[in-house]
Amino acid sequence: MNKIKLMYDVVKVLKEKEVFRGTLKAEARRDQVKVFHLEKEFEKNTLNGQVKSKISTEVDYEGKKVKHESSTEFNVENCCEGSHHGFMKHIHQQHQLHSRKCCGVKGKLSKIVFVLNTLNNMEVDEQEDKGVALSININELPQDLKDMIQEKMQHKGLQEEHGSHCCCMEEFCQTEDINIDIKVQINKNNEIEKVLLVVSGKQKKESDEIHDIHLEAALNLTW
């Protein structure tokens, strides 16, 4: 099966979708001890901009224990009106600054090389009457991509909103000897039904302590 044609068909189908609905579950462990858990239900209508989400998170990290539950409903088309306009303008300005810092010619070329290499190493398993299963393994991230992830996790607004949640995930982004396994289930209509992500690696502290890091996330989409 032609991998590029497959990805083209999948992206084309996603682009034509009017409603995205599903669940996301994620769990992070350090030395086999659970330090972070997230469950999220979401629905987004691309026609009218209506977004609904329900989120539950638990953090138990280095003596900090936090539980949070929230339900949110808003309209993307109206988010820049009134009191939100200044906030969204600030976000846009920060995005432009970040783009200038990390998305120069070399940065863009590095990302293209990374994507092409990932596509080349992707395994495709055609399943009778069940669509296609994709398997991707990434055992090395480009340094500029690592820097981009860490910078996003250190974003001031995210820190203020999520507190210890951000601190926990920021340290996970500093994991070394990283190995990433991604499995994607695509049905016969070229719709993504499920994405499984498993990340493992080593975290070295300033005290030279080494910890095993493990992160699992499952995204399920309902069409």
Side-chain angles (χ1 to χ4, degrees), residues 175-186:
T175 300
E176 300 178 354
D177 299 327
I178 194 169
N179 187 78
I180 304 174
D181 281 306
I182 304 173
K183 296 186 183 299
V184 183
Q185 185 64 49
I186 302 171

Side-chain angles (χ1 to χ4, degrees), residues 7-20:
M7 299 309 300
Y8 171 83
D9 290 339
V10 170
V11 173
K12 183 179 179 181
V13 168
L14 286 175
K15 185 178 179 180
E16 295 172 350
K17 292 294 182 181
E18 298 178 356
V19 178
F20 289 80

Side-chain angles (χ1 to χ4, degrees), residues 30-91:
R30 188 172 76 160
D31 295 333
Q32 304 302 316
V33 177
K34 183 171 68 174
V35 296
F36 174 74
H37 180 80
L38 175 144
E39 292 189 17
K40 178 179 181 179
E41 298 177 10
F42 63 89
E43 179 178 328
K44 179 178 180 180
N45 189 309
T46 62
L47 293 181
N48 59 26
Q50 196 68 20
V51 177
K52 300 178 182 179
S53 67
K54 183 178 180 181
I55 302 175
S56 173
T57 60
E58 293 184 22
V59 177
D60 187 351
Y61 188 70
E62 295 190 345
K64 298 179 181 180
K65 295 184 179 181
V66 179
K67 289 186 178 182
H68 175 75
E69 292 185 1
S70 65
S71 296
T72 305
E73 184 172 347
F74 63 95
N75 192 293
V76 176
E77 295 181 357
N78 298 330
C79 69
C80 293
E81 297 180 359
S83 60
H84 295 286
H85 178 71
F87 173 74
M88 296 307 295
K89 182 179 180 180
H90 171 72
I91 294 297

Side-chain angles (χ1 to χ4, degrees), residues 2-205:
N2 188 306
K3 298 177 184 179
I4 296 179
K5 177 63 165 59
L6 173 63
M7 299 309 300
Y8 171 83
D9 290 339
V10 170
V11 173
K12 183 179 179 181
V13 168
L14 286 175
K15 185 178 179 180
E16 295 172 350
K17 292 294 182 181
E18 298 178 356
V19 178
F20 289 80
R21 183 187 300 111
T23 61
L24 172 65
K25 293 184 179 182
E27 184 173 288
R29 293 179 176 271
R30 188 172 76 160
D31 295 333
Q32 304 302 316
V33 177
K34 183 171 68 174
V35 296
F36 174 74
H37 180 80
L38 175 144
E39 292 189 17
K40 178 179 181 179
E41 298 177 10
F42 63 89
E43 179 178 328
K44 179 178 180 180
N45 189 309
T46 62
L47 293 181
N48 59 26
Q50 196 68 20
V51 177
K52 300 178 182 179
S53 67
K54 183 178 180 181
I55 302 175
S56 173
T57 60
E58 293 184 22
V59 177
D60 187 351
Y61 188 70
E62 295 190 345
K64 298 179 181 180
K65 295 184 179 181
V66 179
K67 289 186 178 182
H68 175 75
E69 292 185 1
S70 65
S71 296
T72 305
E73 184 172 347
F74 63 95
N75 192 293
V76 176
E77 295 181 357
N78 298 330
C79 69
C80 293
E81 297 180 359
S83 60
H84 295 286
H85 178 71
F87 173 74
M88 296 307 295
K89 182 179 180 180
H90 171 72
I91 294 297
H92 179 65
Q93 291 173 341
Q94 292 296 317
H95 175 71
Q96 287 183 319
L97 177 62
H98 174 72
S99 297
R100 288 194 294 268
K101 290 172 62 179
C102 71
C103 296
V105 175
K106 289 186 177 181
K108 291 179 180 179
L109 290 175
S110 295
K111 292 175 184 177
I112 292 174
V113 171
F114 173 73
V115 171
L116 292 175
N117 183 61
T118 300
L119 181 63
N120 182 58
N121 294 331
M122 182 173 65
E123 297 183 4
V124 180
D125 179 21
E126 296 185 60
Q127 303 173 327
E128 294 184 7
D129 301 325
K130 293 183 179 181
V132 177
L134 302 183
S135 297
I136 304 170
N137 178 262
I138 303 171
N139 55 26
E140 184 176 356
L141 289 176
Q143 186 59 46
D144 55 352
L145 187 57
K146 289 182 181 179
D147 294 341
M148 181 183 68
I149 294 174
Q150 292 182 17
E151 184 172 341
K152 287 187 176 181
M153 293 306 301
Q154 293 168 354
H155 191 277
K156 182 177 179 181
L158 186 62
Q159 290 179 331
E160 292 176 348
E161 180 180 356
H162 295 288
S164 58
H165 168 194
C166 176
C167 296
C168 171
M169 298 312 293
E170 180 182 334
E171 288 209 22
F172 271 75
C173 287
Q174 297 171 357
T175 300
E176 300 178 354
D177 299 327
I178 194 169
N179 187 78
I180 304 174
D181 281 306
I182 304 173
K183 296 186 183 299
V184 183
Q185 185 64 49
I186 302 171
N187 64 26
K188 58 184 179 181
N189 297 320
N190 291 321
E191 298 169 327
I192 295 178
E193 292 186 334
K194 189 172 186 177
V195 180
L196 295 175
L197 170 70
V198 178
V199 181
S200 59
K202 301 289 184 180
Q203 181 192 65
K204 186 175 182 179
K205 307 288 286 185

